[in-house]
Amino acid sequence: MNKLTNVESQRMMAVMGDLLDRLNYLTYVPLDPQNELLGTLRENRCLNAAELMREHWRWEQLYLQAPEALDSRQEEIADQVKLTARSLCRDLRENPVAVEILYHHGTSSHERSEDLQMLVKALSELTDLTHSQLEKTVEDAKSKKELMHVAESRMKQADDERVTIREKLSELRKTKDEEIALLDSQVQKLRNELHALNQSAAHELSVIENELKEAQNKAHEAHSEEMKMLTDKAAVLQSQTTKMAQEHQEEEDLLRKKKCKTATELAGIIDKYDSEMAALEDAIQDVQAAFQKESAQCQELNEHFLKIDEEQSRIDAEERVLEEIRAREREKQMYIFRAATRIQKVYRGVLARREYAKMLAKTKKGKKGGKKGKK
């Protein structure tokens, strides 16, 4: 058988895919006419799909009625059914809106044909199988054949190994049986030894029980004697306890009387203390009143002396200011006096120089007159 080429394989797969799509479309087409579906298609502007579906239903009805009416055009009607179905599938493939309406209407209003769904499923599986077979190459077939040969050789080798392992297992089983027989003999020997040990242990246990009974009897007798001695001792202690209780009762009565006397004396002391404390409280209140009065007077005097100190401070400050003013005035006066003294000195110097100049002029004039008289 010649293998298909790649183009032929693709064409074949395209044809099968188109067939699956058309069959899938037809599974959603109701078997009976439904005006509601046609109205929905017309509302969504799928006029051609609605018209083809209506025509398809009409021819299907005629095809179903043809055997009953003995119509001779049955083959022609069947051809028309095929033609309308093919046209409807072609239109649905090109109109996704109509397909969506059919899907929605098919899942909500009627059940899809189970036979047709099984046919679509079988064709889909056949398409997948065909696609996988077409994708295989000669090299793949050869490799699979080699793998089968390797698998057969491995199976044969595994069978040989299984036979060998069985022989080894039989030998091991024989060896284990011998070991088990040896162990059984050892176990039997140990059981005999254990039986002997149990018998000796039972004898020793009986001896120990007898010794234990004797020891218990001796202990019981010793316990009885000790209990008798302790009972006598308890009676003596009971009498001593009674005597001591009487003595303690008398001592307690004496102490109670002493307590009452002490309480009476304490009450008198407390009354005396209360009266003394009341007197001290009155004295303290008087002292506090006097202290508060003197404190008020002291506060007034402090405020008075504080005012006096403030006034004195103010007076001292004013005196200091006045003294500073007087000092500045004295300095100014002294400055004026010194300036006047300097002015007087200068003026007197000027006058003295003038007098000196006059005297000098007179002296020179007298000398000139004397010279003229001599001539």
Side-chain angles (χ1 to χ4, degrees):
M1 180 178 179
N2 295 327
K3 190 171 182 64
L4 296 176
T5 62
N6 190 17
V7 176
E8 291 174 346
S9 300
Q10 291 179 0
R11 186 178 300 168
M12 182 177 178
M13 294 305 300
V15 170
M16 295 185 72
D18 183 64
L19 177 61
L20 282 174
D21 292 338
R22 293 187 180 190
L23 288 174
N24 195 19
Y25 293 154
L26 291 176
T27 57
Y28 287 96
V29 176
L31 297 177
D32 298 326
Q34 294 185 7
N35 295 324
E36 182 182 356
L37 178 59
L38 295 176
T40 305
L41 290 171
R42 291 190 182 97
E43 289 176 359
N44 288 276
R45 298 183 180 278
C46 301
L47 302 177
N48 192 21
E51 185 63 26
L52 289 173
M53 193 174 296
R54 187 185 63 78
E55 190 70 17
H56 179 68
W57 282 336
R58 186 175 70 82
W59 285 109
E60 276 189 346
Q61 293 294 328
L62 292 174
Y63 181 77
L64 293 174
Q65 295 173 3
E68 297 177 358
L70 299 176
D71 194 348
S72 60
R73 298 182 304 161
Q74 188 173 0
E75 294 181 359
E76 183 181 353
I77 294 171
D79 293 336
Q80 289 295 328
V81 171
K82 295 177 183 179
L83 180 62
T84 54
R86 191 180 299 112
S87 300
L88 179 61
C89 291
R90 189 181 297 111
D91 186 76
L92 290 175
R93 186 176 58 185
E94 296 175 356
N95 193 348
V97 177
V99 174
E100 186 67 25
I101 293 171
L102 281 177
Y103 284 172
H104 180 70
H105 190 270
T107 55
S108 60
S109 63
H110 74 284
E111 295 182 356
R112 298 167 63 189
S113 175
E114 294 182 358
D115 296 336
L116 197 56
Q117 290 182 22
M118 291 177 64
L119 176 61
V120 171
K121 184 178 179 181
L123 285 175
S124 178
E125 293 176 355
L126 180 61
T127 302
D128 295 337
L129 181 60
T130 304
H131 185 264
S132 62
Q133 291 294 330
L134 289 174
E135 286 182 348
K136 290 182 180 179
T137 60
V138 178
E139 289 78 7
D140 294 337
K142 187 176 180 181
S143 63
K144 285 187 177 181
K145 188 175 181 180
E146 291 177 355
L147 288 173
M148 289 294 295
H149 181 69
V150 172
E152 289 176 357
S153 62
R154 287 183 178 178
M155 288 178 64
K156 185 176 180 181
Q157 185 179 359
D159 291 336
D160 296 337
E161 291 178 355
R162 185 171 64 253
V163 172
T164 305
I165 291 170
R166 283 180 178 176
E167 292 176 355
K168 290 181 179 179
L169 284 174
S170 61
E171 293 177 358
L172 288 172
R173 189 178 292 109
K174 184 177 180 181
T175 305
K176 291 294 181 182
D177 291 338
E178 293 176 355
E179 292 178 355
I180 290 170
L182 180 61
L183 291 173
D184 288 337
S185 62
Q186 292 178 357
V187 168
Q188 187 63 33
K189 184 178 179 181
L190 291 172
R191 284 178 179 175
N192 295 329
E193 292 177 357
L194 181 61
H195 181 67
L197 289 173
N198 288 331
Q199 289 180 353
S200 62
H203 178 68
E204 291 178 358
L205 182 61
S206 62
V207 173
I208 291 170
E209 287 178 353
N210 294 328
E211 292 177 354
L212 180 61
K213 287 180 180 179
E214 293 177 358
Q216 286 179 351
N217 292 328
K218 290 180 181 179
H220 182 67
E221 292 176 357
H223 177 69
S224 299
E225 293 177 358
E226 188 175 357
M227 284 296 295
K228 184 178 180 181
M229 184 176 63
L230 290 173
T231 304
D232 297 338
K233 188 176 181 180
V236 174
L237 291 173
Q238 183 67 30
S239 61
Q240 292 178 359
T241 303
T242 305
K243 184 177 179 181
M244 290 176 68
Q246 291 177 357
E247 293 176 355
H248 290 164
Q249 184 66 33
E250 293 175 356
E251 186 177 357
E252 185 179 356
D253 294 337
L254 292 174
L255 290 173
R256 187 176 289 108
K257 291 178 181 179
K258 187 176 180 180
K259 177 185 175 183
C260 293
K261 183 179 179 181
T262 305
T264 305
E265 293 176 355
L266 181 61
I269 293 170
I270 290 171
D271 293 337
K272 183 179 179 181
Y273 174 78
D274 291 338
S275 60
E276 291 177 355
M277 289 303 295
L280 289 173
E281 184 69 23
D282 295 336
I284 289 170
Q285 289 179 358
D286 295 337
V287 171
Q288 286 181 350
F291 175 74
Q292 290 177 357
K293 184 177 180 180
E294 291 177 358
S295 296
Q297 292 177 357
C298 182
Q299 183 68 25
E300 291 177 358
L301 292 173
N302 286 330
E303 292 177 356
H304 178 69
F305 286 120
L306 183 61
K307 291 179 181 179
I308 291 172
D309 292 338
E310 291 177 354
E311 184 66 22
Q312 186 64 37
S313 299
R314 187 179 61 78
I315 292 170
D316 293 340
E318 290 178 355
E319 287 293 333
R320 285 194 296 273
V321 172
L322 292 173
E323 185 63 29
E324 290 176 358
I325 293 170
R326 292 192 191 100
R328 287 196 295 270
E329 288 180 355
R330 284 196 297 270
E331 289 178 359
K332 290 179 181 179
Q333 192 70 30
M334 291 298 295
Y335 182 76
I336 292 169
F337 288 161
R338 285 193 292 272
T341 302
R342 291 192 188 97
I343 292 169
Q344 288 179 0
K345 286 181 180 180
V346 172
Y347 182 71
R348 288 176 182 175
V350 171
L351 291 177
R353 281 193 292 274
R354 286 179 181 177
E355 290 293 330
Y356 178 73
K358 288 179 180 182
M359 290 175 63
L360 186 61
K362 287 180 179 182
T363 303
K364 289 181 178 180
K365 190 175 180 181
K367 287 181 178 182
K368 288 180 179 181
K371 288 180 178 180
K372 288 180 178 182
K374 288 179 178 181
K375 289 179 177 182

